[in-house]
C-alpha cells in the first residue's frame, strides 16, 4: 500500500501562537468597527448640514459619537494596537481608513 499524499517539507509548517491569532483577530474586528464608526460619523455630519435634525438630536449624536471614539481608544490600548494598525493598506487604492482629522 502506497501513500499518495505529498511528503511534508521541513520549514513549511506555519507556527501560530494563540496571542498572535488573538491580536490579529482583534485588529480585524476593530478595523471593521472603526470603518463603521467613521461612516456613521460622516452620515451624522451630513444630516446636521442638511438641517434635518433638532438641536437635541445633534447633541445626542455628538455625545454618542464621542463615547464610541473613547471606547475605540480603550479597545485599541487593551489589545496594544494603534490607529495605524487598523488602517489596512489597499495597495493602489490607498489606505482603508481616511484620516481627515
Amino acid at each position: 500500500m502506497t501513500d499518495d499524499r505529498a511528503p511534508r517539507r521541513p520549514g513549511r509548517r506555519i507556527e501560530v501562537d494563540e496571542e498572535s491569532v488573538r491580536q490579529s483577530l482583534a485588529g480585524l474586528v476593530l478595523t471593521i468597527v472603526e470603518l463603521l464608526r467613521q461612516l456613521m460619523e460622516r452620515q451624522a455630519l451630513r444630516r446636521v448640514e442638511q438641517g434635518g435634525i433638532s438641536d437635541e438630536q445633534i447633541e445626542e449624536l455628538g455625545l454618542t459619537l464621542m463615547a464610541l471614539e473613547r471606547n475605540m481608544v480603550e479597545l485599541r490600548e487593551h489589545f496594544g494596537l494603534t490607529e495605524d494598525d487598523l488602517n489596512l493598506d489597499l495597495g493602489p487604492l490607498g489606505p482603508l481608513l481616511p484620516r481627515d482629522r
Side-chain angles (χ1 to χ4, degrees):
M1 179 179 228
T2 62
D3 187 359
D4 292 332
R5 293 180 291 168
R8 289 189 179 191
R9 295 183 207 160
R12 301 281 295 186
R13 185 175 178 181
I14 298 174
E15 295 293 327
V16 180
D17 66 281
E18 186 177 333
E19 183 59 28
S20 69
V21 170
R22 180 178 163 270
Q23 193 82 353
S24 296
L25 182 59
L28 178 60
V29 170
L30 290 178
T31 297
I32 293 167
V33 171
E34 178 62 13
L35 177 62
L36 292 173
R37 187 194 70 74
Q38 287 187 17
L39 291 172
M40 287 172 38
E41 188 175 274
R42 284 188 184 93
Q43 181 64 28
L45 287 173
R46 273 193 286 272
R47 288 184 65 197
V48 168
E49 289 170 356
Q50 292 172 352
I53 59 177
S54 69
D55 289 343
E56 184 179 296
Q57 290 171 319
I58 292 171
E59 180 72 20
E60 189 175 329
L61 260 174
L63 293 173
T64 300
L65 290 171
M66 287 189 310
L68 183 54
E69 188 167 5
R70 265 194 317 275
N71 289 338
M72 283 298 296
V73 169
E74 290 171 9
L75 286 168
R76 279 197 321 265
E77 288 173 356
H78 176 78
F79 289 104
L81 299 168
T82 66
E83 283 185 29
D84 289 337
D85 292 331
L86 304 185
N87 200 358
L88 303 177
D89 181 7
L90 300 176
L93 298 176
L96 175 67
L97 304 171
R99 298 290 181 202
D100 49 13
R101 294 182 226 175

